Amino acid sequence: MTGNDEMVPKDPRGTHVGNKDIYGRKITYSWWEPEVQYNWALGPAMSRFLEELKKGSIVGRKCRKCRRILVPPRMFCERCYNPTDEWVKIEDTGTIETFSISYIDSDARKIKDPIFIGVISLDGASPKHGIMHYFGEVKADEIHIGMRVKAVWKHVSERTGAITDIKYFKPLKKGGGKK
Amino acid sequence: MKDVAVIGAGMTVFRRRMLETGKELSFLATKMAMEEAGIEKKDIDMVVMGSAPDAFDGIHMKGENLSDGAAGTGKPYVRVFNGGGTGVFAPIAGWWHVASGAADIALVVCEEKMGSCYPHPQTAFRHIWDPILDRPLNPNLVWLFAMEMNRYMSVYNIKKEDIARVAVKNKRNAVGHPCAQIPDEKITIEDVLNSEVMAWPVQRLDISPPSDGASALIFCSADKVRQFTDDPVFVSGVGWNIDSTMWTNRDLYFPQYVANAAKMAYKMAHINNPRKEIDFAEPYDPFDYKELHHMEGLLLCKKGEAPILTREGVTERDGDMPMCPSGGLMGVGNPIAATMGQKVCELYWQLAGKAGKRQIPGDPRIGVGQAWGDIMQMGTVIVMRRG
Ligand SMILES: [Zn+2]
């Protein structure tokens, strides 16, 4: 049964359409642009988290049962499946767990100045507990996993209670502490 | 619990954009599977539809919209989805319809139409991110994979060229697939390493393309299967598992949820030593590194060993443990749920000895298919064997 030239599945169907067919109006199509807005009530954990960001501080929640300090904070521990117990102040310094240097925007369009993005595990939280954020004041040949970083905050007058109240994380040491 | 066999499979061609509507694509794949099984709509007891985020098609609750095309009208019908995990989860749902005794014959149809979404299907992916923590940073979904790939590479000190080998292998394997969107007989490791950087370390040729397409499978209970075929292929185990949405709280180097799903499926299939007992696999490969990551998650090798085995040729179609003999998502295309065509229909074609040009030598007896979805948290696994 092996080694034959038969193509399987036999004679699959379906018709390819290229950009030329669409923009040249060779095919019949219709267009729809949905208009919809959302207003999310953020709940107790995220509301407090964002209010603290506005003040320039990061907070987590502690679960006494598994002893984890959860960042981002939540009002229940998904492992123990119990309410979490208390608010804990977290440092605005941490370690790069992983990162990427992006040359595309959120619509997959090319951008000229790359975006440095990654996961930072924050000091004072449980190991590997952190957030995604931008990196700045660092070069492509300096950034590395394990690099120590610190938050750069927006001026207090510009903060809105959002994750973007932190502008980015920058290397803790000048020059970044080479790999 | 009843044993469950496959009696037919179907698949449309996969392309970036197709003329046919989602319903029409579903019809084409379903009709092909019915013709192989020699049955008609009236013979089907229940239907499962698999289709991933509604945002691609722009049709909310598209399961209902697609039901006509999936032979669902007048029958018990349900849509299941867990993002990229759907291509293996939909047949898992089809399996339990028959294994439970609720249906003698169940049809599984998977459809995806990503080409309708403008300016790019990535735009729709923006809506799967956490609205508070992630979306204000204007993320692109490729970032997730870039961050996971970087973590995986750095933990094991893996070179990019050892990851590029997967893209080359799968695009070459796809040359034998009549549905394939981007087969490439001549592609080299250098081509992959020299392709445009999207989000480092992910480059253009590390990624499978968005696609339109559909696939179908027909399951039959073992006590009825002899009227359809003398050489049935059976589902011998299924597993699925989810990790926390809080993906920034775990180490991305190893997909523990895939390992959990694999252990569940292997237990059901009485597989004690997956590395020895499994002959080939279709790990989910939307990116080249994911095949390696998932080989390890499926416990088909030691942690960090997948790139080495790939370099040694073990995972080639004529190697000791072929990976993605279909050509995978990297070569055949990635219409998300419809990749059931590579991850599960391919197991059937290979185990039945019907894979033609793609046939693995040496009469494989046991194969495993796997998919992966949501925010790097969902593992779905199916084991099949020759009867
Ligand atoms: Zn806990």
Side-chain angles (χ1 to χ4, degrees):
Chain A
M1 278 186 283
T2 58
N4 66 37
D5 284 335
E6 196 193 348
M7 289 290 259
V8 177
K10 208 174 158 217
D11 303 325
R13 286 160 277 184
T15 316
H16 178 222
V17 174
N19 267 332
K20 266 193 270 177
D21 301 313
I22 293 169
Y23 296 118
R25 284 234 166 230
K26 299 262 170 62
I27 63 159
T28 307
Y29 65 80
S30 68
W31 190 260
W32 172 253
E33 291 186 41
E35 280 179 42
V36 63
Q37 279 103 41
Y38 294 90
N39 180 317
W40 290 294
L42 297 186
M46 273 302 117
S47 298
R48 173 82 186 263
F49 180 68
L50 296 184
E51 282 157 21
E52 293 288 342
L53 286 179
K54 207 170 171 180
K55 293 183 219 159
S57 87
I58 302 172
V59 291
R61 285 284 289 181
K62 182 170 183 180
C63 172
R64 282 197 200 122
K65 196 163 181 214
C66 66
R67 296 176 170 199
R68 283 194 303 163
I69 295 172
L70 304 166
V71 182
R74 40 261 197 202
M75 299 314 289
F76 60 90
C77 171
E78 77 279 0
R79 282 193 200 159
C80 306
Y81 212 66
N82 272 320
T84 49
D85 300 289
E86 59 187 304
W87 290 98
V88 181
K89 193 168 160 28
I90 306 296
E91 302 300 317
D92 71 350
T93 53
T95 306
I96 297 182
E97 291 292 328
T98 186
F99 70 92
S100 171
I101 303 172
S102 181
Y103 296 85
I104 50 172
D105 71 5
S106 53
D107 290 325
R109 282 185 281 245
K110 276 190 218 177
I111 48 174
K112 223 175 139 189
D113 296 319
I115 302 164
F116 288 60
I117 188 82
V119 177
I120 305 105
S121 60
L122 294 166
D123 296 341
S126 286
K128 305 289 174 195
H129 280 54
I131 56 170
M132 177 170 77
H133 220 296
Y134 300 128
F135 302 110
E137 299 178 45
V138 63
K139 292 191 189 111
D141 60 358
E142 290 169 355
I143 191 168
H144 59 271
I145 289 173
M147 183 182 233
R148 299 279 299 147
V149 290
K150 181 175 172 59
V152 175
W153 295 83
K154 280 184 181 164
H155 187 268
V156 66
S157 64
E158 294 171 354
R159 291 184 206 148
T160 59
I163 193 75
T164 45
D165 286 351
I166 295 172
K167 282 201 269 190
Y168 52 78
F169 283 77
K170 69 168 186 182
L172 205 52
K173 286 184 215 148
K174 220 172 157 84
K178 288 277 182 191
K179 291 178 204 185
Chain B
M1 213 159 61
K2 290 191 176 190
D3 281 339
V4 179
V6 180
I7 56 170
M11 198 168 163
T12 64
V13 297
F14 288 180
R15 291 294 180 272
R16 178 71 174 81
R17 282 186 195 83
M18 301 275 274
L19 181 68
E20 289 81 5
T21 63
K23 287 183 204 183
E24 289 163 345
L25 291 172
S26 301
F27 174 81
L28 294 177
T30 299
K31 207 64 185 161
M32 183 189 276
M34 285 181 175
E35 282 161 11
E36 185 188 1
I39 63 169
E40 294 177 29
K41 187 187 167 190
K42 66 174 170 49
D43 302 312
I44 289 167
D45 298 317
M46 296 185 181
V47 179
V48 175
M49 161 57 66
S51 198
D54 291 345
F56 292 126
D57 293 51
I59 297 171
H60 194 44
M61 302 200 293
K62 66 175 165 174
E64 286 73 8
N65 176 269
L66 293 166
S67 58
D68 292 21
T73 56
K75 296 184 190 296
Y77 172 88
V78 67
R79 172 202 181 185
V80 297
F81 74 106
N82 36 41
T86 309
V88 171
F89 191 70
I92 288 173
W95 166 84
W96 81 54
H97 279 57
V98 177
S100 65
D104 282 330
I105 296 184
L107 164 70
V108 182
V109 189
C110 283
E111 178 273 355
E112 212 74 58
K113 229 178 136 61
M114 303 172 77
S116 313
C117 183
Y118 277 72
H120 193 278
Q122 288 291 349
T123 309
F125 273 131
R126 209 193 279 178
H127 304 278
I128 80 167
W129 292 87
D130 184 279
I132 308 152
L133 296 163
D134 301 335
R135 269 189 235 183
L137 300 171
N138 288 317
N140 183 301
L141 200 70
V142 176
W143 292 4
L144 274 184
F145 311 119
M147 289 187 276
E148 188 182 65
M149 180 171 169
N150 193 8
R151 182 77 197 162
Y152 175 60
M153 284 172 68
S154 97
V155 166
Y156 299 116
N157 202 13
I158 298 166
K159 292 198 184 96
K160 269 224 72 182
E161 61 179 74
D162 283 333
I163 287 174
R165 270 174 227 285
V166 175
V168 171
K169 170 177 69 69
N170 292 2
K171 285 172 199 290
R172 287 185 183 174
N173 280 353
V175 172
H177 205 304
C179 304
Q181 185 174 347
I182 47 167
D184 193 339
E185 206 158 14
K186 294 188 176 130
I187 189 171
T188 63
I189 291 171
E190 287 67 39
D191 292 336
V192 181
L193 296 179
N194 293 330
S195 64
E196 176 196 350
V197 178
M198 313 277 288
W200 191 90
V202 172
Q203 292 173 257
R204 174 75 62 188
L205 292 178
D206 292 315
I207 313 186
S208 61
S211 321
D212 290 0
S215 54
L217 263 181
I218 300 172
F219 287 129
C220 176
S221 72
D223 44 22
K224 301 266 164 48
V225 75
R226 297 289 162 183
Q227 65 191 83
F228 298 102
T229 176
D230 293 328
D231 305 304
V233 169
F234 292 97
V235 177
S236 48
V238 299
W240 64 102
N241 201 282
I242 197 163
D243 204 338
S244 164
T245 312
M246 295 290 181
W247 64 276
T248 59
N249 285 182
R250 49 187 155 92
D251 197 327
L252 301 173
Y253 83 104
F254 183 73
Q256 185 58 48
Y257 46 94
V258 172
N260 295 348
K263 283 176 193 165
M264 175 178 165
Y266 297 160
K267 192 177 173 198
M268 194 184 294
H270 305 292
I271 289 173
N272 299 313
N273 186 344
R275 285 180 225 174
K276 278 200 176 141
E277 294 173 57
I278 289 167
D279 297 314
F280 73 103
E282 279 283 343
Y284 197 64
D285 63 322
F287 291 71
D288 43 13
Y289 83 95
K290 287 307 302 185
E291 173 172 311
L292 306 170
H293 206 230
H294 288 149
M295 267 177 77
E296 294 171 19
L298 286 167
L299 314 172
L300 297 175
C301 61
K302 290 181 206 149
K303 288 182 180 180
E305 194 183 29
I308 300 162
L309 297 180
T310 304
R311 194 194 308 142
E312 290 169 350
V314 173
T315 63
E316 296 282 340
R317 190 184 280 131
D318 58 0
D320 281 347
M321 190 177 293
M323 292 290 142
C324 295
S326 67
L329 280 56
M330 291 298 299
V332 183
N334 187 6
I336 304 183
T339 60
M340 177 175 80
Q342 299 101 302
K343 300 297 126 184
V344 187
C345 297
E346 184 73 10
L347 300 186
Y348 162 66
W349 284 317
Q350 292 288 352
L351 293 167
K354 290 179 176 174
K357 219 174 168 178
R358 299 191 308 282
Q359 186 65 47
I360 295 168
D363 292 328
R365 297 198 62 83
I366 297 181
V368 58
Q370 175 256 334
W372 166 81
D374 299 329
I375 300 271
M376 306 193 284
Q377 66 191 124
M378 182 76 201
T380 53
V381 176
I382 193 165
V383 181
M384 286 189 177
R385 66 173 167 86
R386 196 142 44 98

